[in-house]
Amino acid sequence: MPTELERRILVHAPTSKDSELTCEVLREKGMDCEICDDVQSLVQEMERGVGVVILAEEAFVRDNIRPVVEFLERQAAWSDLPIIMVTRHGADSPSVTEAAKLLGNVTLLERPTRLNALLTAAKAGLRARRRQFQARDLLLARTRAEESLRQADRRKDEFLATLAHELRNPLAPLRNSVHILQLTASDDPAVARLCETMERQVTHLVRLVDDLLEVSRITRGKIELRKENVELAAIARNAIETSRPVIDAAKVQLAISLPQEPIYVHGDPVRLAQVVANLLNNAAKYTNEGGQIWFTARHENGEAVISIRDTGIGIAADLLPKVFDMFMQVDGATERSQGGLGIGLTLVRSLVELHGGSVYVRSDGPGMGSEFVVRLPAVAEERAPAGLAPTAAASGIESRRILVVDDNVDSAKTLGILLKYLGADVQIVHSGVDAIEAIGKFQPGVVLLDIGMPGMDGYEVARRVRERREFEGVTLIALTGWGQEDDRRRTREAGFDHHLVKPADIVALQSLLVTLK
Ligand code: ADP
């Protein structure tokens, strides 16, 4: 809304008598009016705030009107100051035409001016001006909302990055411990199976934490797939394992039907398991106790076809095309969504489409159950799956001197044990200062160095190591929760040779160590 100053009518007439008369008339009608004796004071007042300007033609001729024109040119996009010009030579005279062109939003009043014409023009000008201020306020409120949204989005991204980083710390010792258990595997097949499950689940957890960092990318459909040839049955096993607690809690039956012949797809096994698990979870959530879910996979015309059908609450025909939309939840189904946000199916569709596949849903209506069908391009042959458990026999890093530096004692200890199992000669310290000392005494070939440590951090250790000639030839590997390109650049600049993100994949670490001299 305009302030008092912004509701003023500024008058600049050839004589002060003319100005006073005009103002008197306007004030009588409740309008706020101020006389400006010359163009300079007129512009000064305009700068303070103005509703309408009444300008006599003489002013244009007599004075240099340039400052008024400049003021008008500086106006914000929402502003178009109304100017009433009282003409002496008639509205059509060349000087008035020229003035009107320069001043923009001009109403011309011929002299002798009728009182009513002046009052009407002044009121119309003020009303138009008030609208302009309203538009300005709206514009500002829109801009502010956008800015606060942008800030909230930035804060969310920062929070997710910090959260993911913090979650990675406890995951590192967990993952190491699982590998140790695998290396010391007992003869009991039940224990071996438990180890496998733990390994799979920890890996899944690590990937989910990675996803947290990528969540904004996911919503924009920008995620990185780690593709390999993978058997559908393996994806199904993983997904069913993930969804089992939800299925059991819902007290519904799951029937699984897989083909005799294995079907392979070229895709990201974790993401595809995520797709199937999301659909299984939904089937369980939206099906009443005692209901049934059928999971079937088949090979059809060069495609892997996965169907998840349930006897649940079903979906009305008009909502079928909408359930894949972001934040879409069907009324009445929300209490079953168990805190879901309505993004599960959006993720399913974007992940399937990223794999070159498609997903659709069919239902005969409310109470009639639903079926979600995923189609993915099938591939002919299998390649060796990546990510096998490490082996102690001929690990390729026997007798390698490795210094592990991490202030997280569990992380350091478990990584140390793991490397020892692989045959390395390992020493562990928990601070930057101790690291410098240990490098001198223990003379490691490789230092696995955490970055965030109290006192002397990993960057500082790296810089000091690189300054000393006697430490030449030591390979420095950063082991950190931060994995963005910027973080990698910082470790490079500090003198690191390699950068691994925690929790480091032991197979990747082992292969890196093997390649080092
Ligand atoms: P959420 O389950 O978190 O609400 P989703 O994106 O996974 O989000 O699902 C969106 C909506 O689609 C759900 O809220 C529900 O209304 C409907 N829906 C999904 N799966 C089923 C199903 N198997 N049976 C009935 N309705 C379903």
Side-chain angles (χ1 to χ4, degrees), residues 278-279 282-283 285-287 310 312-315 323 325 328-331 333-334 337 339-346 369-370 372:
N278 274 0
L279 294 175
N282 277 354
K285 285 193 306 191
Y286 301 108
T287 299
D310 62 56
I313 62 171
I315 301 168
V323 291
D325 292 348
M328 165 65 194
Q329 293 181 309
V330 176
D331 276 353
T334 40
S337 81
L341 295 170
I343 58 171
L345 288 180
T346 314
S370 317
F372 287 82

Side-chain angles (χ1 to χ4, degrees), residues 141-153:
R142 231 179 289 130
T143 318
R144 281 198 204 110
E146 264 175 30
E147 181 49 30
S148 64
L149 269 179
R150 258 198 299 275
Q151 275 185 15
D153 203 42

Side-chain angles (χ1 to χ4, degrees), residues 200-218:
R200 237 189 340 267
Q201 297 304 322
V202 170
T203 305
H204 204 137
L205 214 54
V206 169
R207 286 295 299 272
L208 290 178
V209 169
D210 285 350
D211 281 357
L212 263 182
L213 282 171
E214 289 179 353
V215 83
S216 61
R217 290 217 210 138
I218 288 179

Side-chain angles (χ1 to χ4, degrees), residues 29-105:
K29 293 291 171 193
M31 289 176 257
D32 190 3
C33 187
E34 225 160 285
I35 297 167
C36 304
D37 292 331
D38 50 34
V39 169
Q40 200 190 355
S41 61
L42 173 66
V43 173
Q44 266 170 16
E45 287 306 318
M46 284 162 75
E47 297 280 4
R48 294 177 65 214
V50 58
V52 169
V53 169
I54 298 181
L55 202 60
E57 184 193 337
E58 290 85 341
F60 187 73
V61 177
R62 194 185 58 206
D63 292 320
N64 183 0
I65 205 81
R66 193 69 226 155
V68 176
V69 176
E70 280 170 7
F71 174 92
L72 295 173
E73 283 170 356
R74 281 200 310 275
Q75 291 182 102
W78 55 267
S79 173
D80 192 14
L81 177 65
I83 295 181
I84 298 169
M85 195 162 174
V86 185
T87 68
R88 190 176 49 154
H89 299 112
D92 296 330
S93 74
S95 61
V96 168
T97 311
E98 172 69 11
K101 215 159 70 188
L102 281 174
L103 297 175
N105 185 7

Side-chain angles (χ1 to χ4, degrees), residues 14-42:
T15 64
S16 53
K17 196 161 160 265
D18 280 356
S19 297
E20 269 158 28
L21 263 174
T22 309
C23 268
E24 213 170 285
V25 168
L26 295 171
R27 282 188 190 127
E28 223 168 77
K29 293 291 171 193
M31 289 176 257
D32 190 3
C33 187
E34 225 160 285
I35 297 167
C36 304
D37 292 331
D38 50 34
V39 169
Q40 200 190 355
S41 61
L42 173 66

